[in-house]
Amino acid sequence: MAIRVLTVCTGNICRSPSAEVILRDKLAEAGLAGAFEVDSAGIAGYHIGDPPSEPAVRLAAARGYDLTPLRARRIAPQDFTDFDLILAMDSGHLRQLLRLQPKGATARLSLFLDGLPHLGVDLADPYYGGDGDYAAMLDIVEAAVPAWVMRLQEDFLTRA
């Protein structure tokens, strides 16, 4: 059975879908596509059913990532048991996830930038910014994902 990872941001149209696709692509490049499933969700229900934001789609596509199949969804209580690891894009999301986490939840919660202090703690939200803000967000996601590929292998595949 695949290890399931969920990336979470505010509305699930910028940061978390970008992290979802980049992490999934890098896991596949590492030959781990069958070992992991990656999804994304938002804390808020502002954009349920909407595609990722136009700048996120366009700028990710310029880097070879396809966000077009994705649609925003809100995190649900069952996500806390259906997923093995939930990665919050910023510390505010992590606090909200800790409050939303139901009794008996089994998912580990972590910040997406955990363990990468040179990248900061919070992945800045580009939603109200321009292309430069989206490019900076993608730069940080691309910088963080290789460490997650290694960490996921170590934490979930070499323990068994």
PDB file of all heavy atoms in Angstrom, residues 96-111:
ATOM      1  N   GLN A  96      -3.871  25.567  12.512  1.00  0.00           N
ATOM      2  CA  GLN A  96      -5.257  25.227  12.173  1.00  0.00           C
ATOM      3  C   GLN A  96      -5.436  23.721  12.030  1.00  0.00           C
ATOM      4  O   GLN A  96      -6.448  23.164  12.465  1.00  0.00           O
ATOM      5  CB  GLN A  96      -5.683  25.951  10.905  1.00  0.00           C
ATOM      6  CG  GLN A  96      -5.823  27.447  11.117  1.00  0.00           C
ATOM      7  CD  GLN A  96      -6.187  28.187   9.848  1.00  0.00           C
ATOM      8  OE1 GLN A  96      -6.875  27.662   8.983  1.00  0.00           O
ATOM      9  NE2 GLN A  96      -5.722  29.420   9.736  1.00  0.00           N
ATOM     10  N   LEU A  97      -4.462  23.054  11.432  1.00  0.00           N
ATOM     11  CA  LEU A  97      -4.535  21.592  11.295  1.00  0.00           C
ATOM     12  C   LEU A  97      -4.554  20.925  12.664  1.00  0.00           C
ATOM     13  O   LEU A  97      -5.293  19.956  12.876  1.00  0.00           O
ATOM     14  CB  LEU A  97      -3.366  21.070  10.453  1.00  0.00           C
ATOM     15  CG  LEU A  97      -3.437  21.376   8.965  1.00  0.00           C
ATOM     16  CD1 LEU A  97      -2.093  21.100   8.304  1.00  0.00           C
ATOM     17  CD2 LEU A  97      -4.549  20.580   8.299  1.00  0.00           C
ATOM     18  N   LEU A  98      -3.740  21.425  13.589  1.00  0.00           N
ATOM     19  CA  LEU A  98      -3.720  20.857  14.941  1.00  0.00           C
ATOM     20  C   LEU A  98      -5.076  21.025  15.623  1.00  0.00           C
ATOM     21  O   LEU A  98      -5.521  20.133  16.339  1.00  0.00           O
ATOM     22  CB  LEU A  98      -2.608  21.495  15.770  1.00  0.00           C
ATOM     23  CG  LEU A  98      -1.188  21.084  15.364  1.00  0.00           C
ATOM     24  CD1 LEU A  98      -0.154  22.001  16.010  1.00  0.00           C
ATOM     25  CD2 LEU A  98      -0.930  19.629  15.707  1.00  0.00           C
ATOM     26  N   ARG A  99      -5.748  22.149  15.368  1.00  0.00           N
ATOM     27  CA  ARG A  99      -7.087  22.365  15.932  1.00  0.00           C
ATOM     28  C   ARG A  99      -8.137  21.477  15.257  1.00  0.00           C
ATOM     29  O   ARG A  99      -9.076  21.031  15.903  1.00  0.00           O
ATOM     30  CB  ARG A  99      -7.493  23.832  15.789  1.00  0.00           C
ATOM     31  CG  ARG A  99      -6.883  24.740  16.834  1.00  0.00           C
ATOM     32  CD  ARG A  99      -7.567  26.090  16.898  1.00  0.00           C
ATOM     33  NE  ARG A  99      -7.508  26.848  15.662  1.00  0.00           N
ATOM     34  CZ  ARG A  99      -6.531  27.678  15.320  1.00  0.00           C
ATOM     35  NH1 ARG A  99      -5.515  27.859  16.128  1.00  0.00           N
ATOM     36  NH2 ARG A  99      -6.560  28.331  14.188  1.00  0.00           N
ATOM     37  N   LEU A 100      -7.991  21.254  13.963  1.00  0.00           N
ATOM     38  CA  LEU A 100      -8.964  20.453  13.204  1.00  0.00           C
ATOM     39  C   LEU A 100      -8.771  18.951  13.384  1.00  0.00           C
ATOM     40  O   LEU A 100      -9.684  18.173  13.128  1.00  0.00           O
ATOM     41  CB  LEU A 100      -8.858  20.768  11.697  1.00  0.00           C
ATOM     42  CG  LEU A 100      -9.283  22.152  11.250  1.00  0.00           C
ATOM     43  CD1 LEU A 100      -8.877  22.372   9.797  1.00  0.00           C
ATOM     44  CD2 LEU A 100     -10.780  22.326  11.425  1.00  0.00           C
ATOM     45  N   GLN A 101      -7.583  18.558  13.805  1.00  0.00           N
ATOM     46  CA  GLN A 101      -7.235  17.141  13.905  1.00  0.00           C
ATOM     47  C   GLN A 101      -8.191  16.412  14.851  1.00  0.00           C
ATOM     48  O   GLN A 101      -8.277  16.732  16.029  1.00  0.00           O
ATOM     49  CB  GLN A 101      -5.797  17.039  14.410  1.00  0.00           C
ATOM     50  CG  GLN A 101      -5.220  15.674  14.378  1.00  0.00           C
ATOM     51  CD  GLN A 101      -3.752  15.721  14.805  1.00  0.00           C
ATOM     52  OE1 GLN A 101      -3.357  16.532  15.627  1.00  0.00           O
ATOM     53  NE2 GLN A 101      -2.962  14.843  14.245  1.00  0.00           N
ATOM     54  N   PRO A 102      -8.935  15.434  14.326  1.00  0.00           N
ATOM     55  CA  PRO A 102      -9.885  14.708  15.182  1.00  0.00           C
ATOM     56  C   PRO A 102      -9.173  13.709  16.096  1.00  0.00           C
ATOM     57  O   PRO A 102      -8.025  13.316  15.855  1.00  0.00           O
ATOM     58  CB  PRO A 102     -10.789  13.989  14.184  1.00  0.00           C
ATOM     59  CG  PRO A 102      -9.990  13.871  12.935  1.00  0.00           C
ATOM     60  CD  PRO A 102      -9.007  15.002  12.931  1.00  0.00           C
ATOM     61  N   LYS A 103      -9.881  13.318  17.135  1.00  0.00           N
ATOM     62  CA  LYS A 103      -9.377  12.275  18.027  1.00  0.00           C
ATOM     63  C   LYS A 103      -9.126  11.014  17.205  1.00  0.00           C
ATOM     64  O   LYS A 103      -9.905  10.667  16.324  1.00  0.00           O
ATOM     65  CB  LYS A 103     -10.425  11.993  19.098  1.00  0.00           C
ATOM     66  CG  LYS A 103      -9.892  12.061  20.466  1.00  0.00           C
ATOM     67  CD  LYS A 103     -10.952  11.815  21.486  1.00  0.00           C
ATOM     68  CE  LYS A 103     -10.265  12.065  22.790  1.00  0.00           C
ATOM     69  NZ  LYS A 103     -11.052  12.446  23.855  1.00  0.00           N
ATOM     70  N   GLY A 104      -8.057  10.320  17.495  1.00  0.00           N
ATOM     71  CA  GLY A 104      -7.739   9.094  16.786  1.00  0.00           C
ATOM     72  C   GLY A 104      -7.024   9.309  15.470  1.00  0.00           C
ATOM     73  O   GLY A 104      -6.775   8.356  14.733  1.00  0.00           O
ATOM     74  N   ALA A 105      -6.676  10.545  15.165  1.00  0.00           N
ATOM     75  CA  ALA A 105      -5.957  10.829  13.925  1.00  0.00           C
ATOM     76  C   ALA A 105      -4.598  10.147  13.943  1.00  0.00           C
ATOM     77  O   ALA A 105      -3.941  10.067  14.980  1.00  0.00           O
ATOM     78  CB  ALA A 105      -5.792  12.331  13.749  1.00  0.00           C
ATOM     79  N   THR A 106      -4.190   9.648  12.798  1.00  0.00           N
ATOM     80  CA  THR A 106      -2.921   8.931  12.711  1.00  0.00           C
ATOM     81  C   THR A 106      -1.879   9.643  11.853  1.00  0.00           C
ATOM     82  O   THR A 106      -0.707   9.278  11.884  1.00  0.00           O
ATOM     83  CB  THR A 106      -3.159   7.522  12.139  1.00  0.00           C
ATOM     84  OG1 THR A 106      -3.838   7.639  10.893  1.00  0.00           O
ATOM     85  CG2 THR A 106      -3.981   6.677  13.110  1.00  0.00           C
ATOM     86  N   ALA A 107      -2.286  10.637  11.086  1.00  0.00           N
ATOM     87  CA  ALA A 107      -1.349  11.338  10.204  1.00  0.00           C
ATOM     88  C   ALA A 107      -0.350  12.151  11.024  1.00  0.00           C
ATOM     89  O   ALA A 107      -0.704  12.766  12.025  1.00  0.00           O
ATOM     90  CB  ALA A 107      -2.106  12.257   9.248  1.00  0.00           C
ATOM     91  N   ARG A 108       0.887  12.134  10.573  1.00  0.00           N
ATOM     92  CA  ARG A 108       1.889  13.027  11.137  1.00  0.00           C
ATOM     93  C   ARG A 108       1.698  14.395  10.497  1.00  0.00           C
ATOM     94  O   ARG A 108       1.421  14.489   9.308  1.00  0.00           O
ATOM     95  CB  ARG A 108       3.298  12.514  10.835  1.00  0.00           C
ATOM     96  CG  ARG A 108       3.662  11.312  11.652  1.00  0.00           C
ATOM     97  CD  ARG A 108       5.052  10.764  11.376  1.00  0.00           C
ATOM     98  NE  ARG A 108       5.979  11.665  10.718  1.00  0.00           N
ATOM     99  CZ  ARG A 108       7.033  11.254  10.026  1.00  0.00           C
ATOM    100  NH1 ARG A 108       7.295   9.976   9.896  1.00  0.00           N
ATOM    101  NH2 ARG A 108       7.834  12.125   9.460  1.00  0.00           N
ATOM    102  N   LEU A 109       1.869  15.444  11.270  1.00  0.00           N
ATOM    103  CA  LEU A 109       1.762  16.811  10.763  1.00  0.00           C
ATOM    104  C   LEU A 109       3.141  17.455  10.799  1.00  0.00           C
ATOM    105  O   LEU A 109       3.891  17.278  11.755  1.00  0.00           O
ATOM    106  CB  LEU A 109       0.798  17.634  11.607  1.00  0.00           C
ATOM    107  CG  LEU A 109      -0.631  17.121  11.753  1.00  0.00           C
ATOM    108  CD1 LEU A 109      -1.435  18.041  12.651  1.00  0.00           C
ATOM    109  CD2 LEU A 109      -1.291  16.984  10.406  1.00  0.00           C
ATOM    110  N   SER A 110       3.444  18.215   9.753  1.00  0.00           N
ATOM    111  CA  SER A 110       4.733  18.890   9.690  1.00  0.00           C
ATOM    112  C   SER A 110       4.608  20.127   8.817  1.00  0.00           C
ATOM    113  O   SER A 110       3.718  20.220   7.974  1.00  0.00           O
ATOM    114  CB  SER A 110       5.789  17.949   9.094  1.00  0.00           C
ATOM    115  OG  SER A 110       7.049  18.563   9.069  1.00  0.00           O
ATOM    116  N   LEU A 111       5.522  21.047   9.007  1.00  0.00           N
ATOM    117  CA  LEU A 111       5.636  22.175   8.091  1.00  0.00           C
ATOM    118  C   LEU A 111       6.366  21.722   6.836  1.00  0.00           C
ATOM    119  O   LEU A 111       7.317  20.929   6.909  1.00  0.00           O
ATOM    120  CB  LEU A 111       6.427  23.320   8.728  1.00  0.00           C
ATOM    121  CG  LEU A 111       5.692  24.189   9.721  1.00  0.00           C
ATOM    122  CD1 LEU A 111       6.675  25.101  10.463  1.00  0.00           C
ATOM    123  CD2 LEU A 111       4.632  25.022   9.019  1.00  0.00           C
TER     124      LEU A 111
END
